[in-house]
Amino acid sequence: MIAFLSGVILLLVRVLNLSQVADFFSRPVMGGFISAGGLLIMLSQFQNVLGVKFDSQDYPVQTLYQNFKHIGHSNKNALAVGLVSIAYLVAVKLIKKKFFPSPVLSQLFDDPAANTQQTPARANFDDSHGFSITDEQYVGLTSARAQADENQAKSLNRKPIDDSTPKSKPVLIAIFLARTLCDLGPLVVCIFGGIVGYSLGPKALKLTGTVPGGFPAPVLPWYGFDDDLIAGGRFGTILVNALTVSLVVFLSSIAMAKRLAIQRGEDINTEQELTGIGLASVVCGLFQAMPPTGGMSRTAVNMQNAHTQLASIVTTLIVIVALYTLTGTLYYLPRATLASIIIVAGYTLVEFKEAKWLLRVKRDEFFVWAASFVLTLGLGVLQGLIASIVCSVLALMVKTKRSPVVILGELDNGSLVDRD
């Protein structure tokens, strides 16, 4: 019922054109929020790596304290599986980054046009009159950072890697297979974890356990009221909960989508996002499912290798096949294995380089980034995001309170220039 109502609410927000509230998600707010969210994802999974269990905490600091408190009671088997899995995933990521940084599939099919990339224009931060940098400036910021890294490499007399040298077909095939093996790192650790879990059993370490297979039969969302499972007077409480869920879904999904779109030089339509999430939530209400949202942990895992919407379709098909064929196998998968995948994926969301860059070129943006980061890290995802948006609005008010003053000077040819 909550999933169905939250979907209806999101669709109403779309129809009433209230999605413009997403414009308050400035880039530093999203940067600090996502970076802190990545650390929170990692923090939430440490108890599974340690093989301990404690009650859910209200604040991340309490969760951190509980992890340290129970570290002496950790399960050695779970800890070993988790650490080995993390080490392997980090190793294959570093190997791929160092030795196989560029995809070669297009070269295998002799498609030179696919390898042509346009260099983003360098960002001009002096032309920014608003509080937050523009999308073009953000893309240029990434380009400028890459150029700075290249200049630093030259200053250290490092020999640049020339990827333009033609390679033979066997070499390209070998590189493609090596990259694919690196990309399949999560699958490798799952197979390893499954073997260990099957060998040791549930008494030695915590396993995923029984996973229900197949799809539940569709029912009307209000079946609980018809069968007197839910008292009619509780509809108001359910509606309030649905409003809360809708707020969480809207804020987290749109913030994550906008952040990743900017990071990849793309753009999103918030109205389309709301329509998709709303319809998905309505359908979930027909199958007694949880309300869908753009979760950080799932997004972080998907970001490892996915680049197009086709990845979501492939993932859906794999999940459907797994529900009917692999639920018995998943029983032996250790929780520490799944936690290790999420921890490594969560780290990819953390971007301290952006904070250092903003500190150098846009100090006011850096303070908003830092406030968003600290608030999210201290209060949690939802409360931190709301507090970050409030800080962004306050900073914008302070910024626009004083009008910019430009002193112009006249050249000999009669043109005016900024004297600064």
Side-chain angles (χ1 to χ4, degrees):
M1 186 66 176
I2 291 180
F4 178 80
L5 289 177
S6 63
V8 173
I9 293 172
L10 290 174
L11 292 176
L12 285 176
V13 172
R14 162 67 177 89
V15 172
L16 297 176
N17 198 24
L18 299 178
S19 60
Q20 295 180 359
V21 70
D23 294 338
F24 290 103
F25 299 168
S26 64
R27 283 143 200 81
V29 165
M30 290 184 290
F33 169 71
I34 298 300
S35 295
L39 294 179
L40 293 180
I41 290 172
M42 300 170 66
L43 178 62
S44 66
Q45 297 300 320
F46 282 140
Q47 62 172 316
N48 291 322
V49 174
L50 296 175
V52 298
K53 183 176 178 58
F54 50 82
D55 295 335
S56 177
Q57 305 297 313
D58 295 330
Y59 297 101
V61 176
Q62 295 174 326
T63 303
L64 181 62
Y65 170 75
Q66 290 294 331
N67 278 295
F68 278 108
K69 181 180 178 180
H70 290 81
I71 195 170
H73 306 284
S74 59
N75 186 306
K76 295 181 179 180
N77 295 323
L79 184 61
V81 171
L83 293 179
V84 170
S85 300
I86 291 175
Y88 177 81
L89 292 173
V90 172
V92 294
K93 285 177 67 69
L94 293 177
I95 291 173
K96 178 182 176 181
K97 182 178 180 180
K98 183 175 180 61
F99 298 103
F100 317 109
S102 303
V104 296
L105 188 60
S106 59
Q107 299 180 41
L108 281 172
F109 293 97
D110 295 326
D111 187 9
N115 297 324
T116 303
Q117 298 180 352
Q118 294 182 352
T119 302
R122 186 180 180 87
N124 182 10
F125 294 96
D126 295 333
D127 294 337
S128 178
H129 300 291
F131 173 70
S132 182
I133 56 179
T134 64
D135 292 352
E136 293 78 9
Q137 288 174 334
Y138 185 89
V139 175
L141 179 149
T142 305
S143 176
R145 286 208 307 253
Q147 183 64 39
D149 293 340
E150 182 179 348
N151 294 336
Q152 183 179 6
K154 291 181 179 179
S155 64
L156 296 176
N157 296 324
R158 294 177 182 173
K159 187 176 180 180
I161 300 175
D162 185 9
D163 292 335
S164 61
T165 305
K167 298 180 178 65
S168 62
K169 291 287 185 179
V171 173
L172 291 176
I173 293 175
I175 294 176
F176 172 74
L177 293 177
R179 280 178 55 87
T180 303
L181 183 61
C182 292
D183 292 338
L184 293 177
L187 178 60
V188 173
V189 298
C190 284
I191 295 175
F192 164 74
I195 295 174
V196 174
Y198 181 80
S199 302
L200 298 181
K203 294 183 179 180
L205 74 167
K206 293 184 178 180
L207 305 178
T208 301
T210 303
V211 179
F215 281 97
V219 294
L220 294 176
W222 48 86
Y223 74 96
F225 294 102
D226 295 337
D227 298 338
D228 294 329
L229 296 176
I230 303 176
R234 293 193 58 194
F235 179 77
T237 303
I238 295 176
L239 182 60
V240 172
N241 292 335
L243 286 170
T244 304
V245 170
S246 301
L247 178 63
V248 174
V249 169
F250 174 73
L251 292 179
S252 59
S253 300
I254 300 300
M256 176 68 71
K258 285 176 68 69
R259 175 62 181 176
L260 297 182
I262 294 173
Q263 193 177 57
R264 297 186 176 187
E266 301 171 350
D267 192 14
I268 66 166
N269 188 323
T270 55
E271 295 180 350
Q272 289 182 354
E273 296 289 327
L274 279 175
T275 302
I277 298 174
L279 290 176
S281 189
V282 169
V283 173
C284 286
L286 301 176
F287 290 91
Q288 309 173 55
M290 298 291 289
T293 181
M296 280 191 177
S297 57
R298 295 189 298 274
T299 302
V301 173
N302 197 51
M303 280 177 57
Q304 300 297 298
N305 301 297
H307 299 283
T308 67
Q309 290 85 346
L310 182 61
S312 299
I313 298 177
V314 174
T315 302
T316 302
L317 295 176
I318 293 176
V319 169
I320 293 175
V321 173
L323 283 174
Y324 284 99
T325 60
L326 299 178
T327 53
T329 305
L330 295 177
Y331 176 90
Y332 296 100
L333 188 62
R335 294 185 182 181
T337 300
L338 299 177
S340 65
I341 297 175
I342 296 175
I343 288 174
V344 175
Y347 182 74
T348 61
L349 298 177
V350 183
E351 294 185 5
F352 289 123
K353 288 185 178 180
E354 178 189 2
K356 292 173 60 177
W357 185 266
L358 290 175
L359 180 62
R360 292 173 53 190
V361 299
K362 294 280 288 185
R363 184 156 296 185
D364 52 354
E365 302 277 352
F366 167 77
F367 290 136
V368 175
W369 189 100
S372 177
F373 179 83
V374 173
L375 289 171
T376 304
L377 204 58
L379 300 178
V381 175
L382 178 60
Q383 297 90 335
L385 179 58
I386 295 175
S388 300
I389 295 175
V390 172
C391 287
S392 178
V393 174
L394 293 176
L396 178 61
M397 295 172 62
V398 173
K399 181 80 173 180
T400 56
K401 184 178 180 181
R402 298 175 57 185
S403 301
V405 178
V406 179
I407 302 177
L408 298 178
E410 185 176 0
L411 298 178
D412 295 337
N413 59 4
S415 60
L416 299 177
V417 296
D418 186 353
R419 293 181 59 183
D420 294 337

